[in-house]
Amino acid sequence: MTENTRLHVGDPAPAFSLTNDRGQTVALSDYAGRKVLVYFYPRANTPGCTAEACDFSEKLSDFENAGVDVIGISPDAPEALAKFRADHDLTIELLFDPEKTVMSEWGAYGEKQNYGKTVVGVIRSTFLVGADGTIEQLQYNVRASGHVERILRDWPV
């Protein structure tokens, strides 16, 4: 198994500029001076990804009250993300990374274990980027169920 590039606390967050589900370009630099939680998920409208996105949307005011914006990134096309938003009344920012370039730079794409087999795919991961642009908290191989509650409980957001 090859080792995936992984970020660490204190590393500068890799810059990105991606398209959202409304066709607008969104860059990490748009959030300069603010904290932003960036999470990567495999596919819109699948059970785990839906639960996670709904939880983030439901708790968005908790993050906003703490001065934290939330961005979800997947390889889905904007049309799929727009349907995902509409189907579940999502209120978080949804971006797409079709080439998985940003995911790879953040260590959220590569080899992983899936049902005992080594596969290449999106590694469900979450990062808290500080107002200074560095990684303050991170977690790879996230379990979707209960993840948002664990972040709010355990991370200093």
Side-chain angles (χ1 to χ4, degrees), residues 3 9 28 33 38 40 42-43 46 51 55 57-58 68-69 72 77 86 88 94 96 98-99 115 118 133 135 143:
E3 188 162 330
V9 170
L28 183 59
V38 179
F40 296 91
R43 188 170 180 178
T46 58
D55 287 350
S57 286
E58 182 179 302
V68 178
D69 295 298
H88 304 287
L94 300 174
F96 87 106
E99 304 300 322
Y115 300 107
T118 301
I135 304 294
R143 170 175 258 145

Side-chain angles (χ1 to χ4, degrees), residues 2-157:
T2 62
E3 188 162 330
N4 298 325
T5 301
R6 294 287 170 108
L7 297 177
H8 300 91
V9 170
D11 286 348
F16 63 75
S17 182
L18 297 170
T19 304
N20 68 14
D21 59 301
R22 295 173 302 282
Q24 302 163 328
T25 300
V26 177
L28 183 59
S29 61
D30 295 341
Y31 297 89
R34 289 188 50 84
K35 287 188 176 189
V36 60
L37 187 138
V38 179
Y39 81 99
F40 296 91
Y41 62 98
R43 188 170 180 178
N45 276 318
T46 58
C49 296
T50 298
E52 189 177 30
C54 288
D55 287 350
F56 273 121
S57 286
E58 182 179 302
K59 298 292 186 180
L60 185 59
S61 63
D62 292 344
F63 287 101
E64 290 174 338
N65 289 339
V68 178
D69 295 298
V70 177
I71 299 173
I73 301 176
S74 79
D76 296 298
E79 301 79 27
L81 294 178
K83 181 174 178 359
F84 190 37
R85 177 181 302 287
D87 287 352
H88 304 287
D89 296 319
L90 301 177
T91 55
I92 57 175
E93 185 72 79
L94 300 174
L95 305 180
F96 87 106
D97 182 14
E99 304 300 322
K100 302 167 193 81
T101 305
V102 172
M103 291 178 176
S104 295
E105 291 171 351
W106 286 64
Y109 185 80
E111 288 186 353
K112 63 181 184 174
Q113 292 295 311
N114 192 23
Y115 300 107
K117 294 183 179 182
T118 301
V119 298
V120 175
V122 177
I123 300 164
R124 190 183 303 275
S125 307
T126 305
F127 305 84
L128 179 62
V129 179
D132 65 354
T134 62
I135 304 294
E136 290 187 356
Q137 297 285 330
L138 61 103
Q139 187 176 6
Y140 289 100
N141 300 309
V142 170
R143 170 175 258 145
S145 178
H147 179 58
V148 174
E149 287 296 329
R150 286 188 298 276
I151 288 172
L152 289 170
R153 182 189 68 217
D154 299 340
W155 287 12
V157 294

